[in-house]
Amino acid sequence: MRAHDYPTPTIEECTVVDHYFANRLAPTDSVLERVLAANQAAGMPPHDVAPVQGKFLAVMVQITQAKRVLEIGTLGGYSTICMARALSEGGHITTIDNNADFALVAAQNFELAGVTERIEQRVGTALEVLATLQGPFDLIFIDADKPNNPAYLDAVLKLSRVGTTIIGDNVVRGGAVSNPNSADPNVLGVQRFLQKLATNPNLNSTALQTVGEKGWDGFSLTVVNALP
Ligand code: DHB
Ligand code: MG
């Protein structure tokens, strides 16, 4: 083990820092607060990204100068709104979810945020919808059912160009990702997804842990360097 630069934190200390950053760099607003409340009231699982994570996605949209964004897993559209706000003129997001009830809530949230024109919602099984889409996309955010992550990666590579950025959510799962004996289908999906990222010579990937108000989780980050 390499020497640590700093003492080991508790998750409570990490959450204090998460809020410190969020208050300065990703201040919430009445729209995002109403979106979170609407999603909770609709009975969605509390899987909206944290404010600093939404801001990470927004900054990635701008770094990549993405005009065509693809999201797998809309839920209530919190992350979609974060990314849509960062789009430049003419940019748009295609976002997929299989839950028609949640998609209606997301549509209301997009209206509230004033981003409806930039968003195309597709309701259906993601693998089926992906097969109907025309690429290439500049930035792809995979944030849906984790057992399908390996299949989503295969599908989105067909919708990529050289230079496409692919971000995967929830790749740490409270540390469970590194358990070689896990039988959790979500963990297995993420492990197989990371293995595909690692072994595809056309992809250059990393993964970053995040700690704070969403607990201990993280993102994978990939650039497509070549296509078969
Ligand atoms: C899960 C899914 C998510 O997208 C998330 O952000 C957190 C957890 C899950 O399926 O467990
Ligand atoms: Mg997620």
Side-chain angles (χ1 to χ4, degrees):
M1 188 104 71
R2 293 177 66 184
H4 293 175
D5 292 329
Y6 304 103
T8 305
T10 64
I11 192 68
E12 289 77 18
E13 289 170 316
C14 293
T15 303
V16 170
V17 173
D18 196 21
H19 290 154
Y20 178 90
F21 285 153
N23 287 338
R24 284 154 184 81
L25 307 174
T28 192
D29 54 65
S30 61
V31 169
L32 290 177
E33 302 227 315
R34 286 168 69 186
V35 166
L36 285 183
N39 295 353
Q40 195 179 356
M44 293 180 197
H47 294 162
D48 321 87
V49 296
V52 290
Q53 294 171 333
K55 201 66 183 295
F56 169 74
L57 295 171
V59 170
M60 287 304 302
V61 166
Q62 297 205 318
I63 288 174
T64 60
Q65 298 179 40
K67 292 265 188 196
R68 298 156 298 184
V69 176
L70 172 62
E71 178 179 61
I72 307 176
T74 314
L75 196 64
Y78 182 96
S79 53
T80 328
I81 291 168
C82 293
M83 292 191 286
R85 286 172 163 180
L87 286 170
S88 58
E89 188 68 31
H92 67 87
I93 303 179
T94 301
T95 185
I96 308 170
D97 207 287
N98 68 356
N99 188 313
D101 297 329
F102 293 172
L104 281 177
V105 177
Q108 290 166 1
N109 290 337
F110 298 151
E111 279 295 316
L112 184 68
V115 296
T116 300
E117 290 69 33
R118 283 175 244 168
I119 295 172
E120 185 194 349
Q121 277 188 274
R122 300 289 297 265
V123 179
T125 304
L127 288 171
E128 288 173 14
V129 174
L130 289 167
T132 71
L133 295 181
Q134 182 83 45
F137 290 90
D138 306 312
L139 177 66
I140 299 169
F141 182 44
I142 302 175
D143 186 22
D145 52 315
K146 312 311 170 192
N148 270 320
N149 264 18
Y152 292 151
L153 179 62
D154 291 341
V156 302
L157 288 177
K158 298 192 183 111
L159 298 170
S160 294
R161 59 168 170 82
V162 171
T164 290
T165 300
I166 302 170
I167 301 172
D169 195 22
N170 314 115
V171 300
V172 177
R173 313 198 64 80
V177 67
S178 60
N179 176 1
N181 303 315
S182 179
D184 178 337
N186 294 314
V187 174
L188 290 170
V190 168
Q191 290 173 335
R192 288 173 186 147
F193 171 71
L194 289 166
Q195 189 62 19
K196 270 180 176 286
L197 293 179
T199 55
N200 186 329
N202 296 332
L203 305 178
N204 189 18
S205 299
T206 190
L208 293 168
Q209 304 183 62
T210 57
V211 284
E213 70 168 53
K214 302 293 298 185
W216 180 19
D217 213 336
F219 294 106
S220 65
L221 187 56
T222 297
V223 62
V224 179
N225 281 333
L227 289 164

